[in-house]
Amino acid sequence: MATSTDPSAGANFAARTPERGPAKGPNTAFRELRGQRSPGEFAAAVRRAAREIGEQVACDARYVGRVEAGEIRCPNYAYERVFRHMFPGLTLADMGFSSREAVRGRGARAGCGAPPAYATHPEHPEHHRGTSTTDHEIERNDEESDVLRRAFMTGGSATLAAVSLGLLPEYAAAAPHDCVRQPVRRVGEAEVGAVEEAVRRIRLLDDRHGANGLYRRAAQPLRTAYALLDAGIARRSTADRLHAGAGELAISVGWLAHDSGHYEEARSHYAEALATARLAGDPALEAHAFCNMSFLARDAGRPREALRAAQAGGRAARRLGSPRLLSLLSLREAGGWAGLGDRGACEQSLARAHALFGRGPAERDPEWMTFFVEAELEMLEAQCWSALGDWPRASRHAHRAACLQDPHFARNLALYRAELADDLARAGAPTESAAAGHQVLDLLPEVQSTRIQAMLADTARILAPHATCPEVATFLDRRATV
């Protein structure tokens, strides 16, 4: 794929951009590089550029906003490599960043050693060699707070995560004295950033691998996040961010439970997020919680509840200035009407969803909505027609969803193809269904999703009477071995 900007743009921009010292305000140079793209669109371009060079970064609209606001004065090593790939010929100074030395200083590296020159991504093979868990926790800088992410990915105890965040100071004596700071009495930017990073990491890993392997481990940072809410927060703006981060984390863990087939646990997590949203007076979080509650109710066979939750989410979202969010909630509403068998109301909701989606992205789109692209819109419409029993029409939309989906997001690609296989089977096209089923099976080694596996099981049941067809027989035999 082409990089996210014209390669010549870097040289041209460098020619007119002076060298900068430490950032003392908004990063206007980086904002200029974003151009006309929304923060969400630019974040997606960053992730695509990262994949081109074998990096993995959890860039989203919030990260872009923090860079442009000057909160992130110097990117970490992984982001630096991605930005240099996107904008050939530009230095960090050209992009408006300060030097790493100016940001961190000598003292930041003295206690436990300088950070390695590779990306500190939990999946990186170097992540677990030659560096203790606390080595980088001493660097509580604005660019990246790894505490919850490390505790989450390495499977450490909830106590370890709490100690790392200063919640349980009585345990701090058990850790090396030269690498642990004095316990904090109030929650600050580093802890809130850790919660937000945990949300991003869970979403990234779910996109790539599905929920089954993540759900139980993700409960740990969620417990820690809600403990933070009780720890005392000095600034109102920090408290608001922590409430939003904890609520988003509850939704993310709820989604992992949902996709793993633990519906009641998912329902509990979504309700927790909704309560957090209402306590904090956060309509964006409230809309997100209702959106997922609607999705869960539809999957659990409660279409009227799905409809009401979607409509409640729509009321909360009207104040947010995000047509894309309203479009998604209209699709959730359409799913509820389809489950109730009301084709006319479903079609009206679908038409409204398409019209809202057509307005394009907006600055105020929530960062969690980066998944909501045209492929997802097609998939959700396919599910509506499937629920109404219009299998040929459902198949057309599912096929379009699979064609449009970015192949790097393996979980969604497997989901769309599983929907296609099921719709084709019900539409009386067993050979085509088996072919789509094989494509899903190709992805299962890297995707763990109970929901997708259940969809394949239903498809296999429908195709069983066609086992005399060689293509169908091969699919059924292969699926039986998975």
Side-chain angles (χ1 to χ4, degrees):
M1 180 194 125
T3 51
S4 59
T5 191
D6 184 347
S8 64
N12 294 336
F13 190 82
R16 64 178 188 274
T17 305
E19 291 293 312
R20 288 172 168 76
K24 296 183 179 179
N27 187 336
T28 56
F30 198 85
R31 174 62 186 88
E32 187 172 344
L33 290 172
R34 174 160 68 87
Q36 297 301 311
R37 289 169 289 189
S38 72
E41 290 173 319
F42 186 77
V46 172
R47 296 193 300 272
R48 287 194 297 269
R51 291 193 293 268
E52 291 171 9
I53 60 173
E55 288 289 359
Q56 296 186 43
V57 295
C59 188
D60 55 24
R62 184 182 288 274
Y63 179 88
V64 175
R66 292 182 65 207
V67 171
E68 294 178 0
E71 295 177 24
I72 296 177
R73 296 172 58 199
C74 180
N76 68 17
Y77 290 96
Y79 276 106
E80 178 181 351
R81 284 191 288 273
V82 175
F83 293 152
R84 288 181 181 273
H85 174 61
M86 293 175 70
F87 308 111
L90 294 192
T91 65
L92 287 179
D94 294 331
M95 300 177 203
F97 293 112
S98 303
S99 68
R100 188 161 280 105
E101 292 76 13
V103 173
R104 292 182 174 175
R106 294 179 181 273
R109 298 189 299 274
C112 299
Y118 52 80
T120 56
H121 189 282
E123 296 176 341
H124 196 288
E126 292 289 335
H127 179 77
H128 303 289
R129 294 210 302 266
T131 308
S132 71
T133 304
T134 55
D135 278 351
H136 299 301
E137 288 170 18
I138 194 170
E139 294 191 56
R140 294 287 186 88
N141 53 59
D142 287 334
E143 73 163 20
E144 183 177 17
S145 184
D146 282 344
V147 181
L148 278 177
R149 183 178 70 186
R150 290 179 184 277
F152 165 57
M153 287 307 302
T154 59
S157 67
T159 299
L160 173 60
V163 170
S164 300
L165 292 167
L167 293 175
L168 302 176
E170 62 270 27
Y171 291 101
H177 290 288
D178 60 343
C179 288
V180 177
R181 288 188 167 192
Q182 292 296 318
V184 295
R185 297 185 183 278
R186 287 189 180 274
V187 176
E189 291 291 319
E191 290 76 22
V192 175
V195 173
E196 293 169 343
E197 179 64 14
V199 175
R200 297 181 185 114
R201 185 62 56 201
I202 288 171
R203 289 173 182 163
L204 176 65
L205 295 174
D206 174 52
D207 282 339
R208 294 183 181 278
H209 305 295
N212 289 12
L214 300 175
Y215 171 48
R216 295 301 175 189
R217 283 181 289 166
Q220 176 184 300
L222 178 60
R223 288 193 296 270
T224 305
Y226 274 93
L228 283 171
L229 287 173
D230 295 326
I233 307 171
R235 298 173 57 187
R236 175 62 185 269
S237 61
T238 304
D240 289 344
R241 279 181 59 197
L242 183 57
H243 273 92
E248 290 293 343
L249 192 53
I251 291 173
S252 292
V253 176
W255 162 248
L256 296 178
H258 180 173
D259 200 41
S260 300
H262 302 285
Y263 285 2
E264 289 307 311
E265 293 177 53
R267 188 184 180 94
S268 175
H269 287 305
Y270 292 157
E272 186 173 39
L274 181 60
T276 302
R278 288 180 165 172
L279 284 171
D282 187 338
L285 180 60
E286 182 175 345
H288 191 185
F290 273 127
C291 183
N292 277 48
M293 293 171 81
S294 176
F295 189 10
L296 175 65
R298 192 212 66 178
D299 280 359
R302 298 191 297 268
R304 194 167 298 282
E305 180 183 328
L307 175 63
R308 289 174 176 170
Q311 291 171 335
R315 289 192 292 272
R318 289 191 192 111
R319 296 172 274 168
L320 302 177
S322 172
R324 286 282 168 95
L325 176 56
L326 290 171
S327 173
L328 178 58
L329 286 162
S330 293
L331 285 163
R332 298 281 187 243
E333 185 177 337
W337 287 122
L340 292 170
D342 192 331
R343 187 185 183 102
C346 177
E347 289 179 333
Q348 290 180 5
S349 295
L350 288 173
R352 184 169 64 252
H354 278 276
L356 289 163
F357 187 89
R359 295 184 189 177
E363 289 286 343
R364 299 188 65 185
D365 288 343
E367 63 178 88
W368 58 267
M369 286 193 64
T370 53
F371 80 97
F372 186 50
V373 293
E374 189 177 1
E376 181 71 12
L377 182 147
E378 292 289 339
M379 170 63 174
L380 294 177
E381 180 163 359
Q383 291 176 334
C384 288
W385 295 119
S386 179
L388 289 167
D390 191 338
W391 314 117
R393 196 166 185 176
S395 300
R396 290 195 296 273
H397 286 282
H399 180 263
R400 182 164 172 77
C403 291
L404 290 170
Q405 178 59 28
D406 185 337
H408 289 93
F409 295 106
R411 195 281 314 281
N412 275 4
L413 185 58
L415 176 64
Y416 299 168
R417 288 174 174 171
E419 176 71 26
L420 176 60
D422 192 71
D423 292 337
L424 287 169
R426 296 175 188 274
T431 301
E432 294 84 351
S433 172
H438 277 297
Q439 292 179 325
V440 180
L441 292 173
D442 291 340
L443 292 167
L444 287 189
E446 59 179 305
V447 175
Q448 299 177 29
S449 168
T450 298
R451 188 160 64 114
I452 293 172
Q453 292 167 358
M455 292 170 70
L456 274 186
D458 283 344
T459 301
R461 176 180 54 79
I462 297 167
L463 290 179
H466 303 277
T468 54
C469 172
E471 292 85 354
V472 172
T474 301
F475 164 71
L476 294 176
D477 290 343
R478 184 183 175 195
R479 186 203 155 268
T481 66
V482 174

